[in-house]
Each structure stands twice: as structure tokens, then as C-alpha cells.
Amino acid sequence: MTVLDVTQLQLILEQAFPGSEVPRVENVNGDTVIVYQPVDERHGRPGGTLSGPTMMMLADTSAWMAILAQIGPVLLAVTTSLHIDFLRKPDLTDLMARATVIKLGRKLAVVDVSLFSRGREELVAKAQVTYSIPTDKP
Amino acid sequence: MTVLDVTQLQLILEQAFPGSEVPRVENVNGDTVIVYQPVDERHGRPGGTLSGPTMMMLADTSAWMAILAQIGPVLLAVTTSLHIDFLRKPDLTDLMARATVIKLGRKLAVVDVSLFSRGREELVAKAQVTYSIPTDKP
Amino acid sequence: MTVLDVTQLQLILEQAFPGSEVPRVENVNGDTVIVYQPVDERHGRPGGTLSGPTMMMLADTSAWMAILAQIGPVLLAVTTSLHIDFLRKPDLTDLMARATVIKLGRKLAVVDVSLFSRGREELVAKAQVTYSIPTDKP
Amino acid sequence: MTVLDVTQLQLILEQAFPGSEVPRVENVNGDTVIVYQPVDERHGRPGGTLSGPTMMMLADTSAWMAILAQIGPVLLAVTTSLHIDFLRKPDLTDLMARATVIKLGRKLAVVDVSLFSRGREELVAKAQVTYSIPTDKP
């Protein structure tokens, strides 16, 4: 069902953001991927927690990975909307995203993303992300 | 009506993110602030446009500035939700945010944020951002 | 710039929901329409305010009207997402929606909707609504 | 962990909307409730599908039920925001909502809501709903 594996997705991420530290793809399984952001003190913000932008970036990136795992390397798929609810302060450890494709249409894909700290079950944030899929996809 | 001016808001931003390049507060007027992100090639992404995370960060930061302009230096106000629709590819120039407080309650503040490229009228993204205001504010 | 006027939009609404009480289109001007829901006690809910579903329905309907005013009677345009922040209790009077098209693409249209009580300036709710436009539009 | 059962929740709904046809609470289990809207032709709209407002109403109502199941009959809890992605046309049969509380704070509760047609697994819509909990709750 998936057409790209962990290694291929990781390579796409690294080529898309050359020279940057990018999140890491940990698992691909059916319509769901696990992607995480290794965390250190650079990501902190007032109150001693992970920054909101780090969480939003990971929600966006993991949604992109979940879609590409299904449709292949459509690099120009673009985010059309993102909604996120911040629920709890994450720990200063790996920030995990579980991203599940809940709609894969011809024009739009919608991904449900749960963010949590590695080793904990409770959610730190919850997002719904929509991508537009170019109709001239390979 | 506002209790902090451009200089004071800028200082809060710089102290909140020491050592980082932060957005710049350009104007404060009633319930609205203008904040911008100076843009160079580091912010680009595939397709040659500004990255989504840069836009989400600016929406979040400008909303925070708009709220602090009204209520003072409540550093621990935290984002509880952010919704953003991405509308057009921004130019590779200053990314501007016009953030207007549309509700300022005891517990929650809601901010309407328009993102556009400097010198152009059409929106590149539109966001609604909610912050929780700690009840033990100074 | 608009291709349908108030009377034509009202007729589309009435034909789309035959036998129902539908909102009323009050004004069309460029990319913006004003639509309102006449309100009586049937719309109330606990706490003596207008119901959330009434506000969401009006946000959705006014967004549809704003899009059709631009592109003509594309009856099968469908809502793909709706985000709404509820800000204040509306008065028990006409609920007004000012809906402005902020993106009109080939595939998607995004509409910014402000809800307020007739005769008052402050917003009671604020929404962003996305419609998918069928590619086989007339 | 839950403080109200199916019968008690149903009674609250019926008392809150006297004289109206209200959704039915089917199950309560931990942080999750199942609520459904019996569907007949009155709920249809152009294209022969369930209306968006019906889906938004059910997302909102099921979220309220999920919260009350946890905290008791706090009738004046109010929706502060609702985000919904519409994914597929529902069948003209019972519209089901599975609503799970993902945050229950002192001031805010956030509920994740999946909407589907009875007897089918795929989602027709996905929502995230936030309620404000009055601090003077009983």
C-alpha cells in the first residue's frame, strides 16, 4: 500500500532541506508514519518547553511524509491549511508525530497528526493538516 | 489603549529568544500590530517560496505581540490553538503580519492575522490564533 | 467583477433548500457579501444565546454565497473545511455575516467570515471556510 | 472515571433543547462517547448528501457530551472553537460521532471527533472542538 519506505522518505527530506537538520522518519506502516524531531536546548522557549513553531513544523513535515509514503515523491505537494491545538507542555526529549492519512483524494489529502513526547502516551498537541496535490504529479 | 510600544515589544521578543534572529515589530496601533520577518534564502523551500513553518512562526509571534501590546508583558501567555490557511506563494521579501486582537477575555485572547509580502496587498496566508492568559498575570 | 447579484443568490439558496427557511442575502459588493439569519427564539440555547450550529451554518452559507457571486451558480461546490472561533454571546437579533473571498483558485476557494449582531460592531465569531470547486464547473 | 452515563447524558440533551429532535447518546466509555444523529431526507442537501451543518452540529454536541461525561452536568460550558475537515459524502443513514476528550484542563477541554456513517469504517469528517469550562462549575 505504501510506495516509499523509511529510507526513501528520509532521503527526500534531506534533499528538500539541504544543509538543515531535518526530522527523522522512524516508521512507515499503511496509512501512518512516525516522524520525530530530536530535541535539545535550542528548541526551548519561555516556560522551559518546546516551541510552538517546532511542533507546527513537525506536524507539517510528518503530514507531508505520510502523503508521500502513499503517492510517491510528489515534491510540490503544498500545505493548504493546518489546524493545531496545543494541549500540554512537551518534555525536553524527542518530539514524536504519528501522522495518519484520513483522506487521499485527487486534489486534496488530509492528515491527522498526534504529537507526543517519546515514551509517554498523552498527547502534547493534535493537528489536522491539508495538502494540495498537483494534478501533474508523476 | 495599548500599554506597550514598538520598542518595548521588540525588547520582549529579543529577551524571550536570546541569541536568535527574531521578527521585527514595525507598528502598534490600537488593537493591531505589524510585525515582519526579514527574509533571505535560508527561509526558502522546494518550489522557491517561503516555508510554511516561517509563516506559522510569524503568525504565532505577531499574535503574541498584539496581545502583549494590550495587556503588558505577560510572558507566560501560551498559544492554545492556531489555524492557518495558506493562500499564495509569498515573494522572497519581507513577510509581513498584521495581527488584530478580536477578543480579549479574562482567560482567552483571539487574534486575527493576515500575512502578506511587503509592498503587495493580496494575502499569502490567513490565520486565527488563540492564546491562554494566565490568571496570575502581573 | 461579481457575476450574480443579490436576487440571483437568494434564488439559488431558496432552490437549494426548498421548503426551508434560508438566510437572506443583503448585499454583494466586489469580493464580499453580507448574508443574515433572521433570529427568533427557536434559535436559542442554554444561557440565552444563539446556538453555535446557527452560527456555523451561517458562516458556511455566506461563504458559499461569496464564492458563487464570483464564479456563478456552481451548485456542487462543497465545503472542505471550516474553522470558527466563538468570541461573544450574540444578541437575540439578526445574525449578520460578512464573507470575503480571500483566495479564488482553480480548485479551492477560501473565505474569511466575520459574524456580528445587527447594529453592533464587535464580532461574535470569526471563521475561515474552504470550498472545493468542481473542475467541471459550467 | 466517567461521572454520567448514557441515560443521564441523553436527559441533559433533551432538557437543553426541549421540543427538539436531539442526537442520541449510544455509548460512554472512559474518555470517549458515541453519539449519533438519526438521518432522514430532511437532512439532505444538493448532491444528495448530509448537510455540513448537520455534521458540525453533531461534532459540537458529541464533544459537549464527552466533556460532561467527565465533569458532570456543567450546562454552561461553551464552545470556543471548532475545526472540521469534510472528507467524504456520508451515506443517508445514521451519522455517528466518536468523541474523545484529549485535554481536560481547568479552563479548557479539547475533544477529538471522528464522524462516520453507521456500519462503515472510513471517516466522513474529522473535527477538533474546544470548550471553555466555567470556573464556577458546580
Side-chain angles (χ1 to χ4, degrees):
Chain A
M1 184 164 294
T2 59
V3 301
L4 296 174
D5 64 19
V6 166
T7 306
Q8 292 166 315
L9 289 170
Q10 187 69 48
L11 189 62
I12 287 171
L13 256 189
E14 281 164 11
Q15 292 178 335
F17 303 96
S20 299
E21 178 198 29
V22 292
R24 307 208 184 135
V25 184
E26 182 162 302
N27 191 260
V28 178
N29 188 356
D31 51 11
T32 299
V33 302
I34 305 282
V35 179
Y36 71 98
Q37 174 66 46
V39 167
D40 62 34
E41 61 277 8
R42 277 175 302 160
H43 300 278
R45 63 159 289 169
T49 181
L50 273 177
S51 75
T54 298
M55 290 191 261
M56 293 189 281
M57 176 278 298
L58 187 62
D60 186 35
T61 300
S62 65
W64 191 42
M65 292 291 98
I67 294 166
L68 295 199
Q70 301 284 321
I71 66 173
V74 181
L75 302 188
L76 295 181
V78 293
T79 315
T80 57
S81 79
L82 184 146
H83 175 77
I84 187 165
D85 286 305
F86 299 98
L87 306 173
R88 292 173 188 84
K89 295 193 180 191
D91 296 336
L92 274 173
T93 182
D94 290 349
L95 180 67
M96 315 293 295
R98 185 189 310 110
T100 300
V101 177
I102 58 176
K103 172 177 176 162
L104 185 56
R106 276 183 312 114
K107 300 191 293 185
L108 292 179
V110 183
V111 184
D112 190 68
V113 183
S114 294
L115 297 178
F116 52 102
S117 295
R118 186 183 288 281
R120 302 193 62 151
E121 277 189 37
E122 59 183 15
L123 301 186
V124 299
K126 185 75 183 45
Q128 295 184 195
V129 186
T130 302
Y131 270 73
S132 175
I133 300 172
T135 50
D136 56 343
K137 66 170 191 269
Chain B
M1 185 163 293
T2 58
V3 301
L4 295 174
D5 63 19
V6 166
T7 306
Q8 291 167 316
L9 289 170
Q10 187 69 48
L11 188 63
I12 287 171
L13 257 189
E14 281 163 12
Q15 291 179 334
F17 303 96
S20 298
E21 178 197 29
V22 293
R24 305 207 184 137
V25 183
E26 183 162 302
N27 192 260
V28 178
N29 189 356
D31 51 11
T32 298
V33 302
I34 305 282
V35 179
Y36 72 98
Q37 174 66 45
V39 167
D40 62 33
E41 60 276 10
R42 275 175 304 159
H43 301 279
R45 61 160 290 168
T49 181
L50 273 178
S51 74
T54 299
M55 291 191 261
M56 293 190 282
M57 174 279 296
L58 187 62
D60 186 36
T61 301
S62 64
W64 191 41
M65 291 290 99
I67 294 166
L68 296 199
Q70 300 284 321
I71 66 173
V74 181
L75 303 187
L76 294 181
V78 293
T79 315
T80 56
S81 79
L82 184 145
H83 175 77
I84 187 166
D85 286 303
F86 299 98
L87 306 173
R88 294 173 187 84
K89 295 192 179 190
D91 297 335
L92 274 172
T93 183
D94 289 349
L95 180 67
M96 315 293 295
R98 185 189 309 111
T100 300
V101 177
I102 58 176
K103 173 178 177 163
L104 185 56
R106 275 184 311 114
K107 299 191 294 184
L108 291 179
V110 183
V111 185
D112 191 68
V113 183
S114 294
L115 296 178
F116 52 102
S117 295
R118 186 183 289 279
R120 302 194 62 152
E121 275 188 38
E122 59 183 16
L123 301 185
V124 300
K126 186 77 183 45
Q128 296 184 195
V129 186
T130 301
Y131 270 73
S132 175
I133 300 172
T135 50
D136 56 344
K137 66 171 191 272
Chain C
M1 183 164 292
T2 57
V3 301
L4 295 174
D5 63 19
V6 165
T7 306
Q8 291 166 316
L9 289 170
Q10 187 69 48
L11 188 62
I12 287 171
L13 256 189
E14 282 164 10
Q15 292 178 334
F17 303 97
S20 298
E21 177 197 29
V22 292
R24 307 208 183 138
V25 183
E26 182 162 304
N27 192 259
V28 178
N29 188 355
D31 51 11
T32 298
V33 302
I34 306 282
V35 179
Y36 72 97
Q37 174 66 45
V39 167
D40 62 35
E41 61 276 10
R42 276 174 303 158
H43 301 278
R45 61 159 289 168
T49 180
L50 273 178
S51 74
T54 299
M55 291 191 260
M56 294 190 281
M57 175 278 296
L58 186 62
D60 186 36
T61 300
S62 64
W64 191 42
M65 292 291 99
I67 294 166
L68 296 200
Q70 301 284 320
I71 66 173
V74 181
L75 302 187
L76 295 181
V78 294
T79 315
T80 57
S81 79
L82 184 145
H83 175 78
I84 187 166
D85 286 304
F86 299 97
L87 306 173
R88 292 173 188 85
K89 295 194 179 188
D91 296 337
L92 273 173
T93 181
D94 290 348
L95 180 67
M96 315 292 296
R98 185 188 310 110
T100 300
V101 178
I102 57 176
K103 172 177 178 163
L104 185 57
R106 276 183 312 114
K107 300 191 294 186
L108 291 179
V110 183
V111 185
D112 191 67
V113 183
S114 294
L115 297 178
F116 52 102
S117 295
R118 186 183 289 280
R120 303 194 61 152
E121 276 188 37
E122 59 183 16
L123 300 185
V124 299
K126 186 74 183 46
Q128 296 185 196
V129 186
T130 301
Y131 270 72
S132 176
I133 300 171
T135 51
D136 56 344
K137 67 171 191 268
Chain D
M1 183 165 293
T2 56
V3 301
L4 295 174
D5 63 19
V6 166
T7 305
Q8 292 166 315
L9 289 170
Q10 188 68 48
L11 188 63
I12 287 171
L13 256 189
E14 282 163 11
Q15 291 178 334
F17 303 96
S20 298
E21 177 197 30
V22 293
R24 307 208 183 138
V25 183
E26 182 162 303
N27 192 260
V28 178
N29 189 355
D31 50 13
T32 298
V33 303
I34 306 282
V35 179
Y36 72 98
Q37 174 67 45
V39 167
D40 62 35
E41 60 276 8
R42 275 174 305 158
H43 300 278
R45 61 160 289 168
T49 181
L50 273 177
S51 74
T54 298
M55 290 190 261
M56 293 189 282
M57 175 278 297
L58 187 61
D60 186 36
T61 300
S62 65
W64 191 42
M65 292 291 99
I67 295 166
L68 296 199
Q70 301 285 319
I71 67 173
V74 181
L75 302 188
L76 294 180
V78 293
T79 315
T80 56
S81 79
L82 183 146
H83 176 77
I84 187 166
D85 286 303
F86 299 97
L87 305 173
R88 294 173 187 84
K89 295 192 180 191
D91 297 336
L92 274 172
T93 181
D94 289 349
L95 180 68
M96 315 293 295
R98 186 188 310 109
T100 300
V101 178
I102 57 177
K103 173 177 175 162
L104 185 56
R106 275 184 312 114
K107 298 192 294 185
L108 291 179
V110 182
V111 185
D112 191 67
V113 183
S114 293
L115 297 177
F116 52 102
S117 295
R118 185 182 289 278
R120 303 193 62 152
E121 275 188 38
E122 59 183 16
L123 301 185
V124 300
K126 186 75 182 47
Q128 296 184 197
V129 185
T130 301
Y131 270 72
S132 176
I133 301 172
T135 50
D136 56 343
K137 66 172 193 270

